[in-house]
Amino acid sequence: MNSSNLLLEEPIRMASILEPSKPTFFPAMTKIVGTLGQKSQAVDTIARCLEAGMSVARFDFSWGDAAFHQETLENLKMAIKITKKLCAVMLDTGGPELQVINKTQRPITLEAESSLVLTPDQNREATSNLLPINFSGLSKAVKKGDTIFIGQYLFTGNETTSVWLEVTDVNGEDVVCLVKTSATLAASLYVIHVSQIRIDVPTLTDKDKEVISTWGFRNNIDFLSMSYTRHAEDIRQARQFLTQLGLNQTHILAKIENIEGINHFDEILGEADGIIVSRGNLGIDLPPEKVFLFQKAALFKCNMAGKPAIVTRVVDSMTDNLRPTRAEATDVANAVLDGSDAILLGAETLRGLYPIETISIVGKICAEAEKVFNQDLYFKKTVKYVGEPMTHLESIASSAVRAAIKVKASVIICFTSSGRAARLIAKYRPTMPVISVVIPRLKTNQLRWTFSGAFEARQSLVVRGLFPMLADPRHPAESTSATNESILKVALDHGKASGLIKAHDRVVICQKVGDASVVKIIELED
């Protein structure tokens, strides 16, 4: 994680490719979001996932009940205590997701060129010629010739487990389709995606609101991942709903997974706290050759806005295999080079056979890609994009990164209470880790006193290169010499213990002293 690594634009010695990777305290600067489920619910498994590099735990409410997810969350809390590693909690909504209702859960075989009816009558039994679905408006939304995809979590598009349909007729509320590919639907949950068609269901459904107001409220969630975000208004409505519940600090991540979301991307980015590029559904709404273009454009816009960007569906094959394909390994690296803050693992950790190995391998690929990330070019591009005059905070953040790179600092330490200053430093993608020292604030609602700070610390766990630690709440964020020196000693000791800082290293400090923001460089003694 230093600035002396070769860049891809420079000639790379083939011998250096064969050198084994050196283990580091932080597996990678890029963060990993792991979805917890059937194969990753045990305390020991979650603890090993945290050790392997998972920093955000995702709870997917498109399947499973609140009791199951609560048990998983309690296990996560125990794993955090065991490993002493911080982990954020993300609630992922179901959203306007259409699903096949197969009450018998028996496998259903569909033959190519046969006829299949999709019906909203959920009392009927699922067969090879008829599938009940959870939406009564499909017949009004589609027309003859439209394409419908049915698959398990839109997993791989593997033709043995997913099927393409072509609408041939609409009969009342039933939609008659021609089966284009043979497949066997053999699991409990299959979702339906109608290519480039708007489904007239609220983005935040009544079921989502119930989950947020019960499970989400009870567990004080750090992130709300909003499936099928289509408009900026979706984010505004969700934020209003969270505020009414008292979840003012919860960050909203907009999942972009259809054409409508792409068309309103800039407005959505303006309202959201971050973006999830949900490539599973996007790969159906967009022609395959266009998916990479959206990924690159979306990540660039997120980077320039200083908002975290998360990429999904990178190592699908590791759900059943111990190693990723060569294409998948390359895809993870390219996501990092494109500017991704985090990689989101879904089926791979939810029901995959190798959740720990998947997190570990993805982390190693990210770390290798970070070594050749052209920080110099990125920095110049970001400064040019921001333009002049810069805001006070932006100027301080970019100056801290420039200073750290010039003096080859081993780490940047940033004192913050809101987390904003640390996120701005991370926006400029320094080559060294940023230790964000979050100093809690004491607040009251007239009935009781509470400390803020834990939210801000956990929410930085989705930002590339940002590693939080909570300071002693007795120390004010904006103070003078003595208290700052004692907090700095704690931060330096943390850096030394983790192997980031050693004798004679230079460290860049970013802090507020009174009304002034200060960037200073210190050189450590023995």
Side-chain angles (χ1 to χ4, degrees):
M1 292 182 185
N2 56 51
S3 53
S4 62
N5 288 306
L6 283 169
L7 301 176
L8 285 175
E9 286 75 8
E10 300 170 359
I12 293 176
R13 290 184 304 110
M14 289 300 159
S16 71
I17 294 170
L18 301 177
E19 288 170 5
S21 303
K22 296 186 179 102
T24 56
F25 178 75
F26 299 122
M29 306 270 261
T30 306
K31 303 300 173 63
I32 297 174
V33 180
T35 306
L36 299 183
Q38 303 103 309
K39 291 290 198 300
S40 51
Q41 192 191 27
V43 175
D44 177 60
T45 304
I46 298 174
R48 291 171 69 195
C49 285
L50 292 171
E51 296 281 8
M54 179 180 79
S55 63
V56 180
R58 172 176 171 254
F59 295 81
D60 183 359
F61 273 83
S62 62
W63 72 277
D65 59 21
F68 177 88
H69 290 301
Q70 190 64 43
E71 184 184 344
T72 308
L73 180 55
E74 296 307 321
N75 289 352
L76 170 66
K77 290 174 184 175
M78 290 169 67
I80 290 169
K81 283 182 181 175
I82 292 166
T83 60
K84 295 183 172 55
K85 288 187 178 289
L86 211 55
C87 185
V89 172
M90 179 190 292
L91 188 162
D92 199 324
T93 65
E97 184 171 85
L98 309 190
Q99 296 178 2
V100 172
I101 308 299
N102 179 13
K103 290 178 180 175
T104 67
Q105 296 198 7
R106 285 196 293 266
I108 300 164
T109 301
L110 305 175
E111 295 291 340
E113 301 305 313
S114 65
S115 181
L116 176 68
V117 175
L118 302 178
T119 179
D121 185 354
Q122 297 183 29
N123 294 318
R124 299 179 70 177
E125 188 175 320
T127 68
S128 296
N129 304 112
L130 183 136
L131 294 179
I133 63 172
N134 67 344
F135 179 54
S136 60
L138 186 63
S139 60
K140 295 185 182 72
V142 299
K143 62 185 184 303
K144 187 176 179 178
D146 282 344
T147 300
I148 297 175
F149 175 91
I150 300 179
Q152 188 177 25
Y153 281 108
L154 302 180
F155 177 33
T156 59
N158 184 326
E159 298 313 325
T160 63
T161 60
S162 58
V163 65
W164 292 91
L165 311 173
E166 182 183 316
V167 177
T168 56
D169 195 15
V170 175
N171 184 9
E173 288 193 325
D174 293 350
V175 176
V176 184
C177 303
L178 177 69
V179 179
K180 303 292 283 184
T181 55
S182 296
T184 299
L185 309 184
S188 56
L189 175 64
Y190 273 86
V191 297
I192 302 164
H193 189 94
V194 188
S195 184
Q196 301 195 16
I197 297 292
R198 177 181 170 81
I199 299 302
D200 194 17
V201 176
T203 305
L204 204 63
T205 65
D206 289 342
K207 183 187 173 187
D208 293 332
K209 288 181 178 179
E210 184 191 346
V211 165
I212 296 165
S213 60
T214 53
W215 193 92
F217 174 75
R218 185 167 64 246
N219 296 300
N220 234 3
I221 54 171
D222 300 301
F223 297 104
L224 177 70
S225 165
M226 200 164 170
S227 297
Y228 299 93
T229 303
R230 297 172 284 193
H231 296 269
E233 185 59 29
D234 294 339
I235 304 294
R236 286 191 285 268
Q237 288 177 5
R239 205 176 296 283
Q240 185 180 6
F241 182 69
L242 288 171
T243 302
Q244 287 168 357
L245 292 171
L247 293 171
N248 310 52
Q249 289 183 281
T250 298
H251 278 187
I252 300 175
L253 303 175
K255 278 177 87 177
I256 307 298
E257 38 195 333
N258 56 26
I259 292 288
E260 211 170 347
I262 292 174
N263 286 336
H264 301 101
F265 183 84
D266 290 346
E267 306 95 89
I268 291 169
L269 177 60
E271 290 289 337
D273 297 301
I275 296 287
I276 298 176
V277 180
S278 186
R279 302 190 308 176
N281 286 342
L282 276 174
I284 289 161
D285 248 24
L286 283 175
E289 67 273 18
K290 297 286 188 181
V291 176
F292 86 95
L293 280 174
F294 174 67
Q295 176 174 312
K296 286 179 178 291
L299 295 190
F300 174 77
K301 286 173 180 282
C302 289
N303 291 166
M304 295 304 108
K307 293 187 176 182
I310 303 167
V311 171
T312 71
R313 309 302 297 277
V314 288
V315 286
D316 284 346
S317 72
M318 287 197 74
T319 303
D320 301 306
N321 299 297
L322 197 50
R323 286 168 61 89
T325 67
R326 277 77 63 197
E328 287 171 336
T330 305
D331 186 33
V332 173
N334 279 327
V336 173
L337 297 175
D338 285 347
S340 180
D341 283 86
I343 300 294
L344 190 153
L345 301 172
E348 304 98 322
T349 55
L350 171 80
R351 57 183 173 82
L353 303 177
Y354 309 102
I356 299 144
E357 291 85 353
T358 302
I359 291 167
S360 176
I361 288 172
V362 167
K364 286 175 183 174
I365 298 167
C366 290
E368 287 298 317
E370 288 156 10
K371 290 177 185 176
V372 293
F373 179 77
N374 193 331
Q375 197 280 335
D376 185 50
L377 181 66
Y378 176 89
F379 186 90
K380 288 173 182 172
K381 190 167 59 176
T382 309
V383 168
K384 184 179 178 183
Y385 184 89
V386 171
E388 294 178 357
M390 277 185 172
T391 64
H392 178 75
L393 210 54
E394 193 104 37
S395 174
I396 291 291
S398 57
S399 298
V401 174
R402 180 175 286 150
I405 288 165
K406 293 284 185 191
V407 303
K408 290 186 167 50
S410 58
V411 74
I412 299 172
I413 295 175
C414 176
F415 295 94
T416 180
S417 47
S418 68
R420 185 160 169 255
R423 284 197 302 273
L424 265 180
I425 290 173
K427 169 182 172 178
Y428 287 88
R429 295 284 189 259
T431 52
M432 65 291 295
V434 180
I435 296 180
S436 168
V437 183
V438 182
I439 302 169
R441 287 176 175 161
L442 190 60
K443 299 193 299 186
T444 180
N445 61 0
Q446 308 305 318
L447 295 173
R448 65 192 181 103
W449 290 90
T450 55
F451 281 113
S452 71
F455 263 103
E456 290 80 359
R458 290 192 301 267
Q459 284 165 345
S460 64
L461 291 169
V462 82
V463 180
R464 181 151 141 194
L466 206 51
F467 299 93
M469 60 172 283
L470 273 169
D472 189 320
R474 290 169 296 185
H475 292 153
E478 299 166 19
S479 59
T480 50
S481 55
T483 50
N484 272 340
E485 288 305 316
S486 64
I487 305 171
L488 177 58
K489 184 179 184 308
V490 172
L492 291 172
D493 288 345
H494 175 69
K496 289 171 186 172
S498 59
L500 288 175
I501 304 171
K502 54 188 186 301
H504 306 296
D505 274 2
R506 289 170 179 168
V507 174
V508 168
I509 317 290
C510 186
Q511 66 186 126
K512 281 196 93 172
V513 178
D515 293 330
S517 296
V518 177
V519 174
K520 64 181 182 182
I521 302 161
I522 62 170
E523 190 161 337
L524 301 183
E525 298 172 356
D526 290 336

